[in-house]
Amino acid sequence: MTATKSVARQARVVVLLREMPTSTILVTLVAVLCVLGTIMVGSASEVVSIETYGSAWSILVRQCMWLALGTLVMVVTSRMDYRLLRRFARLLVLAAFGGLLLVLVPHLAVQATGASRWIGFGSFDVQPSEVMKLALAVFGADLVVRREEAGGGERTVIGPVLLLIAGACGLVLAEPDMGTTVVLGCIGLSLLFASGVSFRPVVKAGGAVVVLAVLASLVDPYRRQRLLSFLNPGAHASGSGYQVVQSLIGLGSGHIFGVGLGNGTEKWGFLPNPHSDFIFSVIGQELGLVGTGVVLVLLGALCWFGLRVASRAPDRFGGLLGVAIVVWLAVETIINAGAVIGLLPVTGIPLPFISYGGSSLVVTMAGAGVLVSIARREQAPDGGLLPRLAELRSR
Amino acid sequence: MRRVRVVRIALVVALLVIAARLVDVQVLHAGQYQAEAAQELTQPVTIRALRGTITDRNGVVLETSIPTDMVVADDFQIRHPLAEARALAPLLHLGAEKLAGLLSEKSGYVPLVPNLSVTGAKKVMSLAFPGITTIGTSVDVAPAGNLAAPVVGGVNAAGQGDAGLEAEYNRLLAGQAGQETLLESPLGIQLPGTPVAKKTPAVAGTGLQLTLDAPLQYTAEQDLAREIIASHASGGQVIVEDTATGQVLAMVSLAANPGAAGSGAGKSPSGPAPATPPQSSSVAPVTIGPNGPVEEAPTNAAVTQLYEPGSVFKIVPFSAALAAGVITPQTTFTVPDQRTIDGYLFHDATPHPTMQMTATQILAQSSNIGTSFITQKLGETRLLAQVRALGFGRPTGLHFPGDSPGLLVTPAQWAPTDWVSLPIGQVDAVSPMQVLDAYSALANGGVFVTPKLVRATVGAGGALRPTPRSPSRRVIPQAVAKELVPMFEQVVDNGTGVAAAVPGYLVAGKTGTAQIPADNGTAGYLTAFDATFVGFAPANHPVLSAIVVLNRATPIYGGAVAAPVFSKIMAYALHRYDVPASPGLGGKPQATAPSTLTALVRQAT
């Protein structure tokens, strides 16, 4: 009896999730991630915050301000018809390119740790490469759809998109920002992949990008050091491998349930950037495997349902844009978590919705808003069970 | 869209890999990482033990270690640097502006004051400013100033004795440092909510009660300092000893400080001489220290400095010749005032016609030529044996760093004139302590008592543990000692040492004036002299012995510069310990004589 009941309950949950409007699921996931992220930024940043600003709360307060702005942006983008974006696609991509060029102008940009990635507006710094992620997804999806509609064959699709990717990646690589370059590359390539064009030229282009990336890594001593220390963190334990070693100590010492929120020790000067690049490690130490698992499941679920949105999108532009945004979030998650657990080189990519980061959080939330906007117009799968049930009840 | 499914699968695979790695790190290897985390947080902190206190024989503190607190700021926690600095400044004895600067350094660990009194630290903590903490420290202080500094020695910044008794007894005085293990961040910040993991309390050091007597030490330092200034000496040493027990009651090593303002060197000591000889209490004390004309010597020269002692060494040939039976006190010699031996001209200190002298007169007048005739009768072998028998050539057994055996002539170095030079103290190099020990042995009726500086150790709660009795051995036959003491009395009665006399007491002793050897390695001598007087009192029943040495004084003679200082110090000591006067001299009325100083000191105070 009970067994059948429990099976029935599980089946009901699956059906509910299947039939629930994906927009609701997405908004819920993003909200939970943002709340969790804000709490963890508060905990992870207190020491750095006192050190930098003299107050334990400064960074948390800033994060809340960015979160408020991000929420506003997400509300706007999710309420707006995503198809309107096609009109602003050109403007958006031009602005992003303009920003990337400005960053490279020596006296305008804000420099930090050997890289110039920011443009300063008073106390707020904006990172144009973040804007480029959304711009690339929107303009790229629009470009693919327009070229397909023009009917000029696959070549007229692949060529311009690859050129767009190369332009964006080249400028970001010049900052230098290896991680964002990879994210941009993946966003662009995912558009081509999802568009259904033949594999070969895409694979060729992708291979070329990977080879170029590796070569670029080996030429620049800063990146070579990071790559080498990733391959053998123990040998560089006091130098560039230090952060990975500390990250693993943080994760491992958290065990299953963690040392408790706020009780982490790694943030006291052992782990660099505990509130941004390595916040996943702080979560692991303070909340244990339970914490890291929850974060991973939430982000995985967001991507999973994001892909459902893409496949249920009412038009081709929406489908491609959905895939691009999901790949953007997924790649950032994998690169950040992969670095924290020592499987990928450390590149300074934030964990979406969780890491501290001003423009990055706002742009990510804008992307999530666009995804919700597509979801609000999703077509229910094969008639849909819930509408049918509603139909039945109404009879 | 089939390709969306490919993306979905890739996503799931990637997340599964990450999840697997998380399980590997957070579950399978959690123990290893927990250990590493604990290890990198653990900071062992040493808790310094309080050093044992060094006191004089009556408990007057010469050097002690007192608990203090170091005040430290974690300036990240300081909210209002300026306001808090204003409140703290008077308690920490720092300027408010300087303090405000320290409180806004943003370094996490700013030591503000290294040694604040415990009561002061309590006041600081009562303000309850977040980020202001105290750490237990200690500071070594000498409440008696630099009194007996070369004997007591010093403690280095690490809290380890590095000179004098502080070094010799460091293991005893230092105690046992404790340790506690704190959990700290790389910046040295104790993490909140992490209690002290392990704590071994410090064990305070054992104290020392010295044999020194602070008032006598002070008097000896003052009297010697005045003479150094008056005679333009480069330095001097004094030791006063309890003859029966070997306990050192005063041990002084001073050096002239020609650089200091008001230095007596090359100038007349002070204004016009007062009409009446001043009482010692009315004389302004000499400042002994870096700013005074005289300062404590860098080392305890009374023990560690070797010098050729001059005629005080005549105790060696006279005691040996009497013991060997080659002379009696009345044996007469025909003594000219000079004599050539192996091409070298030897002479007495003052010219005199060739005359008949008894052995007693030869000693009293310190005739070098007369001594040479006695040594001739004694022979080289018995002479050298007596040098060693009287304690020269071996450490004194005082338990003091740098306690030197001295430099005795070896058979290989033996020169044809040495049998003349050695008995008059111009061959072997010895320490003032060794010379005094030989005379103390004579005072004891021929029994050599090993000297000592530590009377007792003081354990926890002030429990006194007396040090064992000093070992003793006979070095002069009792009968010989009985004959020899009156001969040395003649030195003070009518010989070279009359200035050493103490009214009311019979004093026995000997003067010495020795040319200082050149320190450039040649056999030559400088035209500079070390002046010595060594002796004991009362001669009829010896209780105290003392030696006074003045280096490079003008006038040069032991009888002129050292003997008067001996007289002053010995007079003070005899009165301080209520030593009964010698019979028939009209001094203090004779009481039933306590036999040793220990008994006397118990009576005094």
Side-chain angles (χ1 to χ4, degrees):
Chain A
M1 256 316 252
T2 40
T4 24
K5 253 189 184 172
S6 125
V7 167
R9 198 176 296 137
Q10 282 175 15
R12 202 177 146 74
V13 168
V14 169
V15 168
L16 258 177
L17 277 179
R18 203 174 138 79
E19 304 302 325
M20 190 186 277
T22 320
S23 60
T24 312
I25 299 174
L26 292 181
V27 169
T28 309
L29 286 171
V30 169
V32 174
L33 278 166
C34 284
V35 169
L36 184 63
T38 308
I39 292 169
M40 289 321 294
V41 164
S43 173
S45 70
E46 53 180 359
V47 178
V48 177
S49 187
I50 291 174
E51 235 175 65
T52 322
Y53 303 106
S55 155
W57 309 108
S58 292
I59 289 179
L60 178 61
V61 166
R62 274 154 203 254
Q63 178 73 351
C64 288
M65 288 162 70
W66 283 112
L67 184 62
L69 184 62
T71 308
L72 197 71
V73 169
M74 186 169 164
V75 167
V76 169
T77 52
S78 62
R79 294 267 155 185
M80 161 181 105
D81 188 340
Y82 67 90
R83 281 164 291 209
L84 275 175
L85 285 172
R86 293 187 72 172
R87 286 192 206 163
F88 301 111
R90 282 201 186 99
L91 197 66
L92 198 60
V93 87
L94 279 176
F97 270 113
L100 285 179
L101 285 168
L102 274 181
V103 163
L104 296 177
V105 177
H107 295 291
L108 275 175
V110 180
Q111 300 222 345
T113 60
S116 76
R117 300 173 181 174
W118 297 267
I119 305 173
F121 295 106
S123 66
F124 285 92
D125 297 334
V126 172
Q127 214 172 337
S129 59
E130 295 293 338
V131 180
M132 180 52 101
K133 291 171 188 168
L134 184 62
L136 184 61
V138 171
F139 183 77
D142 179 56
L143 185 66
V144 170
V145 174
R146 270 191 289 118
R147 288 298 163 117
E148 280 175 351
E149 282 165 356
E154 286 189 351
R155 282 174 150 252
T156 59
V157 178
I158 297 170
V161 175
L162 284 182
L163 202 66
L164 179 68
I165 296 171
C169 287
L171 282 177
V172 175
L173 198 58
E175 289 183 359
D177 186 348
M178 194 62 200
T180 307
T181 308
V182 171
V183 175
L184 289 174
C186 288
I187 292 171
L189 291 175
S190 73
L191 284 169
L192 286 180
F193 183 72
S195 71
V197 294
S198 52
F199 264 50
R200 219 170 276 163
V202 179
V203 170
K204 269 187 198 162
V209 167
V210 169
V211 169
L212 275 175
V214 170
L215 280 178
S217 299
L218 292 177
V219 167
D220 180 37
Y222 166 73
R223 277 191 295 264
R224 184 170 58 218
Q225 195 63 27
R226 282 198 157 191
L227 196 69
L228 289 177
S229 65
F230 151 68
L231 293 174
N232 186 5
H236 300 258
S238 58
S240 48
Y242 168 83
Q243 39 192 343
V244 174
V245 170
Q246 290 301 334
S247 170
L248 290 177
I249 290 176
L251 281 173
S253 60
H255 203 25
I256 293 173
F257 297 105
V259 297
L261 184 64
N263 287 348
T265 52
E266 281 297 321
K267 62 190 179 192
W268 282 89
F270 292 106
L271 192 62
N273 302 323
H275 56 302
S276 56
D277 298 2
F278 286 98
I279 196 164
F280 195 53
S281 175
V282 175
I283 294 171
Q285 189 175 32
E286 300 194 348
L287 304 179
L289 182 65
V290 173
T292 51
V294 164
V295 168
L296 216 53
V297 165
L298 289 173
L299 284 168
L302 187 65
C303 293
W304 180 277
F305 287 104
L307 288 176
R308 185 166 96 179
V309 170
S311 54
R312 290 180 186 178
D315 61 352
R316 190 156 173 78
F317 171 70
L320 289 175
L321 184 55
V323 169
I325 291 172
V326 168
V327 166
W328 159 16
L329 298 179
V331 168
E332 288 197 343
T333 302
I334 291 163
I335 290 181
N336 179 281
V340 168
I341 61 177
L343 291 182
L344 289 174
V346 178
T347 49
I349 290 293
L351 192 61
F353 308 106
I354 305 280
S355 287
Y356 173 77
S359 44
S360 136
L361 179 67
V362 173
V363 176
T364 308
M365 290 185 80
V370 172
L371 206 55
V372 171
S373 171
I374 303 169
R376 279 153 52 90
R377 286 155 188 85
E378 73 181 342
Q379 292 168 331
D382 46 42
L385 191 63
L386 285 179
R388 267 184 289 155
L389 280 174
E391 225 173 285
L392 280 171
R393 277 199 200 105
S394 65
R395 274 187 196 169
Chain B
M1 288 161 94
R2 267 187 53 224
R3 286 193 176 176
V4 171
R5 178 170 285 175
V6 174
V7 172
R8 198 183 286 266
I9 291 167
L11 172 72
V12 169
V13 169
L15 291 182
L16 281 178
V17 169
I18 292 172
R21 172 72 171 162
L22 282 175
V23 170
D24 175 52
V25 173
Q26 296 197 276
V27 180
L28 302 181
H29 290 99
Q32 171 204 330
Y33 288 117
Q34 278 168 337
E36 279 182 45
Q39 197 251 324
E40 71 179 4
L41 283 169
T42 307
Q43 290 292 333
V45 177
T46 305
I47 311 167
R48 247 205 219 186
L50 282 184
R51 276 183 82 80
T53 298
I54 298 178
T55 69
D56 87 333
R57 62 188 303 114
N58 297 313
V60 175
V61 176
L62 298 176
E63 182 139 325
T64 189
S65 181
I66 55 172
T68 52
D69 279 306
M70 173 159 73
V71 183
V72 180
D74 170 2
D75 51 356
F76 291 133
Q77 296 184 46
I78 305 291
R79 293 258 182 78
H80 316 289
L82 209 62
E84 293 183 22
R86 279 197 198 113
L88 285 169
L91 298 175
L92 302 181
H93 315 295
L94 285 173
E97 283 191 9
K98 190 190 167 202
L99 194 56
L102 290 171
L103 292 180
S104 18
E105 260 184 20
K106 300 286 175 231
S107 78
Y109 184 89
V110 189
L112 301 175
V113 175
N115 297 108
L116 191 65
S117 71
V118 176
T119 47
K122 252 185 202 148
K123 280 184 204 156
V124 169
M125 291 314 286
S126 70
L127 293 175
F129 288 145
I132 301 286
T133 49
T134 58
I135 297 171
T137 50
S138 67
V139 66
D140 296 305
V141 292
N146 52 11
L147 189 73
V151 178
V152 173
V155 179
N156 64 19
Q160 300 298 308
D162 61 357
L165 293 174
E166 289 275 20
E168 181 75 19
Y169 292 92
N170 185 52
R171 277 180 63 188
L172 214 57
L173 290 163
Q176 196 80 47
Q179 201 181 54
E180 59 184 355
T181 309
L182 304 176
L183 299 186
E184 282 185 357
S185 81
L187 295 170
I189 301 166
Q190 193 176 347
L191 300 190
T194 53
V196 171
K198 222 168 44 181
K199 188 167 180 175
T200 322
V203 180
T206 303
L208 297 181
Q209 189 188 65
L210 303 189
T211 58
L212 296 183
D213 184 15
L216 178 61
Q217 176 79 23
Y218 175 78
T219 304
E221 290 190 7
Q222 287 293 317
D223 288 338
L224 180 65
R226 282 197 192 92
E227 189 60 40
I228 288 173
I229 296 167
S231 66
H232 311 296
S234 67
Q237 299 85 43
V238 170
I239 309 170
V240 182
E241 195 178 12
D242 170 5
T243 55
T245 61
Q247 293 187 14
V248 175
L249 299 168
M251 184 173 264
V252 182
S253 299
L254 298 179
N257 187 12
S263 162
K267 289 177 241 161
S268 73
S270 55
T276 50
Q279 293 289 301
S280 64
S281 59
S282 69
V283 175
V286 177
T287 308
I288 298 176
N291 300 319
V294 175
E295 56 186 332
E296 299 283 353
T299 60
N300 187 13
V303 177
T304 61
Q305 178 182 280
L306 298 181
Y307 79 130
E308 295 187 7
S311 294
V312 293
F313 214 57
K314 285 175 184 163
I315 191 175
V316 174
F318 276 81
S319 61
L322 283 172
V326 297
I327 58 162
T328 68
Q330 284 74 43
T331 308
T332 309
F333 295 88
T334 307
V335 185
D337 66 348
Q338 55 183 49
R339 188 181 176 190
T340 304
I341 291 150
D342 199 41
Y344 288 89
L345 182 70
F346 286 82
H347 56 80
D348 279 345
T350 47
H352 60 79
T354 301
M355 54 201 260
Q356 295 291 308
M357 292 176 95
T358 63
T360 303
Q361 285 172 321
I362 288 170
L363 185 66
Q365 301 306 323
S366 201
S367 165
N368 294 339
I369 307 304
T371 305
S372 72
F373 290 118
I374 294 172
T375 311
Q376 228 166 345
K377 288 182 98 175
L378 177 66
E380 199 178 299
T381 317
R382 283 186 287 202
L383 177 72
L384 294 180
Q386 188 68 359
V387 169
R388 293 193 176 268
L390 287 178
F392 300 107
R394 64 161 100 179
T396 64
L398 185 65
H399 295 298
F400 195 88
D403 176 13
S404 168
L407 280 171
L408 301 194
V409 68
T410 61
Q413 298 162 333
W414 190 256
T417 55
D418 277 357
W419 66 270
V420 189
S421 307
L422 188 141
I424 63 172
Q426 291 277 204
V427 172
D428 289 339
V430 299
S431 70
M433 186 77 241
Q434 286 177 317
V435 175
L436 180 62
D437 283 342
Y439 280 83
S440 292
L442 177 61
N444 282 334
V447 176
F448 184 101
V449 181
T450 306
K452 60 153 64 172
L453 271 167
V454 179
R455 197 177 178 215
T457 57
V458 188
L464 282 176
R465 268 194 62 197
T467 49
R469 274 181 85 85
S470 290
S472 57
R473 62 179 190 275
R474 177 160 293 283
V475 295
I476 303 170
Q478 199 166 8
V480 172
K482 240 183 183 150
E483 284 181 315
L484 200 49
V485 171
M487 294 171 76
F488 280 106
E489 280 177 40
Q490 292 303 305
V491 174
V492 181
D493 190 50
N494 56 47
T496 54
V498 286
V502 179
Y505 294 89
L506 283 173
V507 176
K510 184 71 192 83
T511 56
T513 307
Q515 222 172 339
I516 300 174
D519 54 4
N520 57 6
T522 65
Y525 280 84
L526 309 172
T527 47
F529 299 82
D530 286 328
T532 305
F533 186 88
V534 59
F536 48 86
N540 55 308
H541 193 110
V543 173
L544 297 170
S545 63
I547 184 169
V548 177
V549 180
L550 282 142
N551 312 119
R552 297 164 183 257
T554 317
I556 62 170
Y557 296 107
V561 290
V565 180
F566 175 93
S567 168
K568 280 182 203 155
I569 295 170
M570 190 54 90
Y572 176 85
L574 290 167
H575 287 99
R576 171 162 171 76
Y577 301 125
D578 254 341
V579 177
S582 302
L585 286 173
K588 285 199 152 219
Q590 193 181 9
T592 27
S595 58
T596 64
L597 184 73
T598 348
L600 287 165
V601 169
R602 231 177 276 137
Q603 286 184 342
T605 326

